[in-house]
């Protein structure tokens, strides 16, 4: 028998956190954060991290496990989550991965094999020369044009990781991810839930959430990291932090920083939807204007039917 696994994906602000908690309560489960930034301590408001009160006594894993100066990768996520899934199944509990970082989720659901390729020394030297002539931001744009999800996870200043990702793309004939990966069956008894919402409604929710974050102390939270000297790190390149850093650097006004944060959050939501829409094994549920309690019952019944 395969181990059971439920995954809840979708764009930012669509309601994944609350849905995951309600389903875990109803189905005797625990939540594993599938968010690449909620792992960081002290980064609570900008990552919309679940509060202890919101958890409603449902255990949550992979939250607050790293310092903001630490790096983190999909491979490391996979290494932590796979034994956790086994542990929860052994306890007769259903693991719920809840989050919107596509590559992280996929690394587990389809047992993604991270490519081991030979170094392309000539190409690497070419890219290093490109950095000297054009700068790290232009190099990062190269990666972003190929794989925005991977680019989002790597700080431009960490140019050696950017170079390695581009090298991987070249040596695997245009594939940063393993070819035919989607065709592999999942090693789990997998139920993939996707939450979606009318685009205009979702964007309004995102804008309002940013306003709430600011009112709840986002500027103070980011300032604390800024003045502690947390710079050139993967963590503070997260949406919600990099925009406020620009304000603290004096390059934009606070009003412009907040507008940039809203815009970047909307763009990220669009990329998340595009990523998950292309995954054939996701069952989608529209959360636009629904009675939440009734929708939870509907999703719960679907999950129970798949896990029989």
């Amino acid at each position: 028998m395969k181990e059971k696994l439920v995954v809840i994906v979708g764009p930012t602000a669509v309601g994944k956190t609350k849905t995951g908690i309600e389903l875990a309560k109803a189905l005797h489960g625990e939540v594993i954060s599938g968010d690449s930034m909620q792992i960081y301590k002290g980064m609570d408001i900008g990552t919309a991290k679940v509060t202890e009160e919101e958890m409603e006594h449902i255990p949550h894993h992979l939250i607050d496990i790293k310092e903001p100066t630490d790096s983190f990768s999909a491979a490391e996520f996979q290494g932590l989550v796979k034994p956790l899934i086994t542990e929860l199944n052994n306890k007769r509990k259903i693991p719920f991965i809840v989050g919107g970082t596509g590559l992280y989720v996929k690394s587990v659901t389809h047992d993604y094999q991270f490519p081991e390729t030979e170094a392309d020394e000539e190409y690497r030297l070419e890219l290093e020369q490109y950095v000297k002539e054009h700068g790290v931001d232009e190099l990062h744009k190269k990666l972003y044009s190929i794989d925005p999800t991977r680019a989002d996870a790597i700080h431009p200043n960490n140019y050696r990781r950017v170079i390695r990702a581009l090298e991987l793309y070249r040596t695997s004939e245009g594939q940063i991810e393993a070819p035919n990966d989607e065709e592999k069956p999942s090693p789990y008894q997998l139920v993939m839930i996707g939450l979606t919402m009318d685009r205009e409604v979702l964007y309004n929710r995102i804008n309002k959430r940013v306003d709430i974050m600011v009112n709840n102390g986002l500027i103070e939270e980011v300032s604390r990291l800024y003045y502690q000297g947390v710079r050139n790190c993967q963590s503070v390149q997260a949406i919600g932090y990099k925009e406020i850093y620009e304000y603290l650097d004096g390059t934009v006004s606070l009003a412009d920083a907040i507008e940039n944060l809203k815009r970047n959050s909307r763009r990220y939501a669009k990329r998340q939807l595009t990523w998950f829409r292309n995954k054939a094994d996701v069952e989608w549920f529209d959360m636009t204007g629904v009675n939440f309690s009734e929708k939870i019952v509907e999703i719960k019944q679907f999950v129970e039917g798949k896990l029989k």
Side-chain angles (χ1 to χ4, degrees):
M1 288 289 292
K2 289 183 176 182
E3 295 172 343
K4 296 177 179 179
L5 175 63
V6 179
V7 179
I8 302 172
V9 298
T12 186
V14 78
K16 298 186 297 294
T17 297
K18 188 176 179 183
T19 299
I21 290 168
E22 291 302 318
L23 290 176
K25 283 163 55 180
L27 296 171
H28 194 55
E30 296 187 10
V31 172
I32 301 169
S33 172
D35 187 286
S36 62
M37 291 298 158
Q38 293 190 359
I39 59 165
Y40 291 112
K41 300 173 185 176
M43 297 177 62
D44 305 330
I45 299 170
T47 63
K49 193 178 293 178
V50 61
T51 65
E52 190 169 340
E53 183 179 359
E54 290 169 339
M55 289 180 188
E56 297 191 44
H57 304 293
I58 294 296
H60 280 61
H61 305 271
L62 266 64
I63 291 177
D64 293 336
I65 63 170
K66 291 280 186 178
E67 297 296 333
T69 49
D70 294 336
S71 62
F72 196 63
S73 67
E76 190 173 355
F77 176 82
Q78 183 193 66
L80 292 170
V81 171
K82 288 173 70 175
L84 189 51
I85 291 170
T86 298
E87 177 186 329
L88 292 175
N89 271 271
N90 288 342
K91 288 162 51 177
R92 300 292 188 268
K93 292 199 170 186
I94 297 176
F96 286 82
I97 296 180
V98 180
T101 306
L103 184 60
Y104 282 42
V105 171
K106 182 181 171 185
S107 74
V108 174
T109 60
H110 288 81
D111 198 21
Y112 179 57
Q113 302 300 305
F114 292 91
E116 293 291 338
T117 61
E118 294 295 324
D120 186 335
E121 191 65 32
E122 184 178 345
Y123 184 54
R124 181 178 299 175
L125 290 172
E126 179 185 322
L127 292 175
E128 287 178 353
Q129 184 61 35
Y130 185 88
V131 172
K132 291 177 183 176
E133 294 177 3
H134 302 283
V136 293
D137 289 330
E138 289 301 314
L139 180 75
H140 194 260
K141 286 178 184 177
K142 279 180 173 283
L143 179 59
Y144 191 89
S145 67
I146 295 167
D147 188 338
T149 301
R150 180 65 60 88
D152 281 339
I154 305 176
H155 189 286
N157 286 347
N158 194 347
Y159 70 92
R160 294 197 182 280
R161 278 191 67 200
V162 177
I163 287 174
R164 179 57 180 155
L166 287 167
E167 193 180 346
L168 205 58
Y169 177 80
R170 182 184 178 98
T171 56
S172 55
E173 298 181 345
Q175 297 274 349
I176 285 185
E177 295 180 17
N180 303 320
D181 197 51
E182 286 298 330
E183 297 176 11
K184 294 185 347 184
S186 175
Y188 300 108
Q189 188 179 349
L190 176 66
V191 185
M192 289 277 286
I193 301 298
L195 305 184
T196 188
M197 188 174 282
D198 174 82
R199 189 69 57 90
E200 185 176 347
V201 174
L202 179 65
Y203 285 177
N204 285 334
R205 282 171 63 95
I206 289 171
N207 291 339
K208 288 178 182 177
R209 185 158 85 164
V210 170
D211 289 334
I212 291 170
M213 285 177 174
V214 172
N215 289 336
N216 287 347
L218 176 64
I219 312 304
E220 293 77 9
E221 177 176 274
V222 180
S223 296
R224 189 162 53 250
L225 294 166
Y226 183 91
Y227 291 112
Q228 286 173 353
V230 181
R231 299 186 71 84
N232 302 329
C233 298
Q234 179 179 333
S235 62
V236 292
Q237 277 303 294
I239 295 171
Y241 295 85
K242 62 183 178 181
E243 296 84 2
I244 307 304
Y245 262 57
E246 290 173 355
Y247 158 65
L248 294 170
D249 282 336
T251 58
V252 299
S253 68
L254 179 57
D256 284 344
I258 292 170
E259 283 305 310
N260 291 342
L261 170 50
K262 291 177 179 179
R263 180 200 64 201
N264 291 340
S265 296
R266 294 191 301 267
R267 288 177 177 174
Y268 181 54
K270 184 177 179 181
R271 292 202 302 273
Q272 287 175 305
L273 278 170
T274 299
W275 169 279
F276 289 115
R277 282 290 186 195
N278 292 329
K279 311 307 171 193
D281 48 2
V282 178
E283 182 72 20
W284 289 95
F285 292 86
D286 194 332
M287 306 299 284
T288 309
V290 300
N291 179 305
F292 184 76
S293 297
E294 291 178 2
K295 183 61 71 170
I296 288 298
V297 171
E298 178 187 346
I299 299 173
K300 172 180 172 287
Q301 290 173 344
F302 173 80
V303 173
E304 285 178 322
K306 288 289 187 179
L307 291 180
K308 282 182 179 176

